[in-house]
Amino acid sequence: MAEAMQYPDLVVVGAGLFGLTVAQQAAERCGASVRVIDIRDHIGGNAYSYFDEETGAEIHKYGAHLFHTSNARVWEYVNRFTEFTDYVHRVYATHDGEVYPLPTNLGTINQFFRAHYTPAEAKALIEEQAGELAGTDPQNLNDKGIQLIGRPLYEAFIKNYTAKQWQTDPADLPADIIKRLPVRYNYDNRYFKDTWEGLPKDGYTAWMERMVADPRIEVSLGVDFFDESQPFNKAALQAAGVPVVYTGPIDRYFDYALGDLKWRTVDFKEVRYDEDDHFGCPVMNFSDADVPYTRAIEFKNFNPERREQQNHERTVVWEEYSRFAERGDEPYYPINTEADKALYERYAELAAAEPKTVFGGRLGTYKYYDMHNVIDTALTAFDEQVLPLIAD
């Protein structure tokens, strides 16, 4: 007679930051045995990185990942697994053959208008250039952008960039996409305003590996949750009553029964240059419509502290192209139209009826999260949802 399958106390589907945080907490706080599975061949989800042999640069495989937070609980938690550099993120944009600092600040304004405005003068100018939209609360992105930074700056730096990013006329996009677009009437061009900011000193993957170094956690890569030929599949775990934390696409979990949720994806084109430094900064936006990509990432420049270990004769740049995702593409950003939000709510109702499955992360909740948000929601979900399941 075949021996019955011995399942762990918890199965986590997806080895991204949400899943790894939950797994780490389950093992540490409950002494639970945890199996983490992921269809990819690496841990870390979209935060995964690797080192490029030729240049010595740390490549962020799924696009630039910058850690920043003002959440003390999250900062204390992540510092258990990695030290951070003192990196401060700053972005520049090329428009009409000239490079400007972003986000819009007094330096951007004075350079653009070839002026030397004081903060008060610049603020008055922007209000004047917002025209009839000044003081209003527009509901589409186009008008909101004009209201925030005036028509000339909006059309130079936001309009075409956003159209490339979303493949949609900004007049047809909701205003909340850029409601927090910063405008600074001083020369501060620090991109984030959080209390803490930096990059993991020895890379993202080393950080994630430490999170699952507990012997009670086993990680299985290249494993499809929906493949019934492997033991940790959806049907088998449900039949055995094993608690599951699911961080994959919520519509996929229910076999797209209500329809597909819409996402944007990103394609990358790698370019290598026979020089030490091509852009002089980590991220260069391209604001004009005649450049097909939205931005370029030069990975070397995220880690100037590693200069001695890098190749000064070659550098690697990734150009980033945005488009609508189809099934099989890597989903990055939820489209979040009203129809998509309504469809997600219907899926969320189905999810709530799954007694031993907790849905989390970007894909499982159809939300865009920064890394610190993912960790914060994972810590909360563990306390409120996962811990009771393990206790049962």
Side-chain angles (χ1 to χ4, degrees):
M1 185 173 177
E3 189 174 326
M5 175 72 185
Q6 293 297 307
Y7 286 108
D9 298 318
L10 178 69
V11 171
V12 175
V13 182
L17 269 174
F18 189 99
L20 297 182
T21 300
V22 169
Q24 187 277 327
Q25 290 284 282
E28 178 179 82
R29 292 173 55 186
C30 304
S33 58
V34 185
R35 174 75 65 147
V36 180
I37 66 171
D38 199 299
I39 197 166
R40 291 172 169 174
D41 62 359
H42 60 75
I43 66 169
N46 281 11
Y48 168 75
S49 67
Y50 62 92
F51 285 86
D52 179 62
E53 289 187 10
E54 183 185 42
T55 64
E58 181 185 351
I59 306 291
H60 304 184
K61 184 175 180 177
Y62 302 94
H65 277 68
L66 300 313
F67 193 83
H68 55 97
T69 187
S70 295
N71 185 318
R73 174 174 75 156
V74 170
W75 184 243
E76 181 181 350
Y77 180 75
V78 298
N79 273 273
R80 294 178 54 194
F81 308 105
T82 184
E83 292 182 68
F84 287 86
T85 68
D86 58 1
Y87 175 80
V88 174
H89 192 47
R90 290 182 169 88
V91 172
Y92 295 86
T94 297
H95 163 65
D96 200 19
E98 191 168 343
V99 174
Y100 296 83
L102 288 183
T104 302
N105 61 76
L106 196 55
T108 319
I109 294 166
N110 278 331
Q111 182 180 346
F112 187 82
F113 293 107
R114 300 293 189 266
H116 48 87
Y117 294 118
T118 65
E121 290 169 340
K123 190 170 186 179
L125 175 73
I126 297 306
E127 288 178 0
E128 177 188 338
Q129 291 179 340
E132 70 281 3
L133 294 170
T136 65
D137 186 23
Q139 297 307 299
N140 73 73
L141 189 152
N142 188 79
D143 292 352
K144 186 67 179 177
I146 295 170
Q147 184 252 329
L148 285 170
I149 61 174
R151 188 178 296 275
L153 288 166
Y154 165 75
E155 291 185 346
F157 298 110
I158 307 298
K159 182 177 181 178
N160 293 317
Y161 184 92
T162 303
K164 289 189 290 186
Q165 191 177 29
W166 289 89
Q167 262 93 80
T168 304
D169 188 323
D172 297 326
L173 291 169
D176 59 11
I177 293 174
I178 60 163
K179 272 190 174 175
R180 294 192 302 275
L181 180 71
V183 185
R184 300 179 187 143
Y185 296 102
N186 57 31
Y187 291 95
D188 178 11
N189 71 331
R190 178 181 171 187
Y191 197 78
F192 303 117
K193 296 296 286 183
D194 282 300
T195 307
W196 298 286
E197 179 178 359
L199 296 170
K201 280 190 175 179
D202 52 0
Y204 279 101
T205 298
W207 165 11
M208 309 302 168
E209 286 172 345
R210 292 189 195 103
M211 293 181 73
V212 290
D214 192 304
R216 292 165 292 198
I217 301 172
E218 288 191 60
V219 179
S220 299
L221 301 175
V223 175
D224 184 352
F225 180 58
F226 303 101
D227 175 8
E228 296 193 359
S229 71
Q230 61 85 20
F232 302 101
N233 68 78
K234 176 184 173 184
L237 294 171
Q238 285 181 330
V242 179
V244 170
V245 172
Y246 176 79
T247 68
I250 190 170
D251 50 358
R252 174 69 183 94
Y253 183 92
F254 295 104
D255 199 25
Y256 307 104
L258 304 176
D260 292 38
L261 289 165
K262 301 297 190 295
W263 295 81
R264 281 189 305 112
T265 191
V266 176
D267 297 319
F268 298 100
K269 178 184 176 184
E270 183 176 285
V271 185
R272 291 178 182 259
Y273 295 94
D274 293 325
E275 52 191 302
D276 183 25
D277 189 354
H278 186 68
F279 284 115
C281 63
V283 177
M284 179 68 73
N285 286 7
F286 288 87
S287 303
D288 300 333
D290 59 353
V291 179
Y293 46 93
T294 54
R295 61 181 183 170
I297 304 165
E298 188 164 10
F299 293 102
K300 262 188 182 182
N301 290 326
F302 285 127
N303 298 99
E305 76 281 357
R306 296 178 187 158
R307 293 291 291 166
E308 289 185 10
Q309 292 80 47
Q310 294 173 346
N311 178 356
H312 300 292
E313 306 299 320
R314 293 277 279 170
T315 189
V316 57
V317 169
W318 280 19
E319 297 168 354
E320 187 172 308
Y321 299 77
S322 181
R323 62 178 172 84
F324 287 108
E326 300 176 1
R327 275 199 203 176
D329 286 330
E330 195 62 54
Y332 278 81
Y333 306 102
I335 298 294
N336 261 337
T337 63
E338 291 307 314
D340 285 311
K341 290 176 184 176
L343 179 57
Y344 167 70
E345 290 303 325
R346 292 172 63 201
Y347 275 121
E349 289 177 11
L350 295 180
E354 296 283 302
K356 291 209 167 185
T357 302
V358 174
F359 292 77
R362 187 174 48 90
L363 304 178
T365 60
Y366 195 62
K367 288 182 177 66
Y368 177 74
Y369 290 115
D370 286 329
M371 286 183 284
H372 64 106
N373 298 132
V374 174
I375 294 166
D376 188 46
T377 56
L379 292 170
T380 299
F382 179 80
D383 288 339
E384 297 179 358
Q385 296 174 271
V386 181
L387 191 56
L389 284 180
I390 296 175
D392 288 343

